């Protein structure tokens, strides 16, 4: 049974990401013209600021340089966070989305936009916004009823300083030209 490059990269990089206190959310290798781009998405319950992203990027770059996981051709390493409108696919994603507005696509074909109030092993407690002056209502939604879920960006919601989500603004990129130890770091905010 052969493993794909993404699976091999996950096996190589996941322990390093975990050692930095982060979760490895996604790995993608894309061809951009004649070059390749390795995109690594990381996150944690407390978010990932630029310093954490830069540190994990340095650790991953060093490990990739000493391995043959990406082959001999040059590539660019980009490390970042899931972004503001992240898809929710794992239990930990729903926990991290507590107090956020989420758009749910339901298996029964409907759609629901609601705020996540609480998460347990079986599902979610939600607050469904009121329409046309009506009060908000609460609803229980089982994980089995959810087809897709995506966090929604709210521009006009007032949040206190301790509940503001600053992790969504953190996105760092580290460019690594591998083999021959030609590593350049280019961090962008």
């Amino acid at each position: 049974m052969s493993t794909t490059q993404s699976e091999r990269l996950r096996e190589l990089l996941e322990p390093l990401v975990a050692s930095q206190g982060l979760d490895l959310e996604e790995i993608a290798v894309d061809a951009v013209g004649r070059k390749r781009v390795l995109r690594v998405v990381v996150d944690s319950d407390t978010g990932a600021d630029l310093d954490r992203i830069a540190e994990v990027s340095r650790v991953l770059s060093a490990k990739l340089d000493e391995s043959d996981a990406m082959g001999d051709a040059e590539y660019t390493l980009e490390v970042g966070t899931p972004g503001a409108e992240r898809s929710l696919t794992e239990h930990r994603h729903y926990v991290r989305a507590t107090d956020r507005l989420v758009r749910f696509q339901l298996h029964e074909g409907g759609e629901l936009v609601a705020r996540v109030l609480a998460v347990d092993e079986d599902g979610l407690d939600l607050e469904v916004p009121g329409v046309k002056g009506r009060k908000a209502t609460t609803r229980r939604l089982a994980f089995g009823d959810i087809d897709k879920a995506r966090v929604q960006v709210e521009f006009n919601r007032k949040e206190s300083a301790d509940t503001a989500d600053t992790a969504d603004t953190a996105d760092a990129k580290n460019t690594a030209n591998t083999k021959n130890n030609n590593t350049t770091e280019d961090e962008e905010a």
Side-chain angles (χ1 to χ4, degrees):
M1 175 200 246
S2 71
T3 54
T4 67
Q5 182 180 26
S6 291
E7 290 168 338
R8 287 191 310 271
L9 285 168
R10 181 171 286 279
E11 289 174 9
L12 178 70
L13 303 180
E14 196 159 29
L16 297 171
V17 172
S19 74
Q20 300 295 312
L22 298 168
D23 295 317
L24 179 59
E25 298 293 348
E26 184 179 327
I27 292 178
V29 180
D30 299 311
V32 180
R34 292 170 39 190
K35 295 185 179 185
R36 294 177 302 151
V37 177
L38 170 58
R39 289 184 175 87
V40 178
V41 178
V42 298
D43 201 7
S44 78
D45 291 343
T46 59
D49 62 19
L50 288 174
D51 291 334
R52 290 179 81 185
I53 297 286
E55 181 58 29
V56 77
S57 184
R58 281 188 282 276
V59 169
L60 297 182
S61 179
K63 185 66 169 183
L64 289 165
D65 283 348
E66 72 183 34
S67 77
D68 66 347
M70 290 297 293
D72 292 331
E74 286 187 5
Y75 66 92
T76 301
L77 171 64
E78 294 181 359
V79 176
T81 59
E85 289 190 357
R86 65 187 69 180
S87 291
L88 307 178
T89 57
E90 303 282 336
H91 186 269
R92 68 178 178 263
H93 299 163
Y94 290 97
V95 171
R96 292 173 187 162
T98 299
D99 201 39
R100 302 286 306 270
L101 195 64
V102 176
R103 179 177 305 275
F104 298 94
Q105 298 291 323
L106 306 176
H107 283 301
E108 62 193 32
E111 184 176 278
L112 173 66
V113 177
R115 187 166 314 283
V116 177
L117 298 176
V119 181
D120 60 31
E121 295 304 315
D122 300 318
L124 312 161
D125 291 328
L126 305 172
E127 178 185 70
V128 181
V131 180
K132 296 184 181 179
R134 294 184 182 167
K135 285 182 134 183
T137 58
T138 58
R139 177 176 174 179
R140 177 77 179 164
L141 186 62
F143 287 119
D145 295 336
I146 302 170
D147 187 34
K148 294 179 185 176
R150 183 176 294 276
V151 172
Q152 300 298 288
V153 175
E154 295 180 85
F155 293 106
N156 58 356
R157 181 163 189 235
K158 294 182 182 182
E159 295 183 278
S160 64
D162 55 316
T163 61
D165 185 24
T166 58
D168 292 336
T169 60
D171 189 13
K173 294 180 182 176
N174 180 13
T175 303
N177 293 324
T178 61
K179 304 303 176 193
N180 303 329
N181 290 327
N182 293 334
T183 303
T184 41
E185 293 180 8
D186 181 20
E187 296 175 15
E188 301 172 3

